[in-house]
Every structure is written in structure tokens, then in C-alpha cells.
Amino acid sequence: MYLEQDNEMTAMDSRTGLKREYTMTYIAEILSDDVIWLINENRRLISIHQNMDEATYYCRKHFQVAPKVIDRRVI
């Protein structure tokens, strides 16, 4: 009985983890004309790029999403 409940909870946790992975937001932070940080929503650095096209391509290739852009040059 308890083993079946544990298996069900584990299965639900793994599905929740997969769902969370698909909803992760990736951010392209433009720091200057030639420095763009690609980070995730937890502020973890994924990669550094020299232009926005490169950052967008990398994000779509590896995560199948377009990054949200934050331009720090105007702030």
C-alpha cells in the first residue's frame, strides 16, 4: 500500500519537474553593444554572446524558446 503511494508521488514529482523545465524563462541581458548575457530565471549564467542574433539562436537551439530581452544600456 505505502509502496504504491510512494511510486505515485514520485511519478507526479517527475512530471511536475518536467513541466517546470518547460516553463523556465531565459533572459538575454544586453549590457553593452557587444556583451549579452543569457541567463535563466534563477539568475544563473547560461552563456555570453556578442550580438542578439547569436543569443537568440543559441537559446532556440538549446531550449526551444526565444529569450526575454532586458536592455541594461537604457537604464
Side-chain angles (χ1 to χ4, degrees):
M1 176 74 175
Y2 291 113
L3 183 58
E4 290 175 12
Q5 287 176 342
D6 287 343
N7 287 341
E8 288 176 22
M9 292 298 283
T10 304
M12 285 176 57
D13 288 343
S14 65
R15 276 183 268 148
T16 304
L18 288 174
K19 194 174 196 178
R20 190 175 304 129
E21 179 66 28
Y22 282 73
T23 59
M24 177 73 74
T25 300
Y26 296 92
I27 303 159
E29 245 185 68
I30 303 172
L31 303 176
S32 68
D33 289 339
D34 58 351
V35 178
I36 298 167
W37 288 4
L38 184 61
I39 59 177
N40 66 15
E41 63 189 9
N42 299 323
R43 307 290 301 167
R44 186 172 192 178
L45 180 64
I46 305 295
S47 57
I48 299 172
H49 300 279
Q50 293 181 338
N51 61 53
M52 195 57 222
D53 292 337
E54 184 182 302
T56 301
Y57 173 78
Y58 182 90
C59 195
R60 285 191 176 155
K61 180 180 178 188
H62 293 282
F63 308 113
Q64 289 77 44
V65 294
K68 176 181 173 186
V69 178
I70 297 176
D71 194 344
R72 298 282 184 208
R73 296 174 298 179
V74 255
I75 296 175

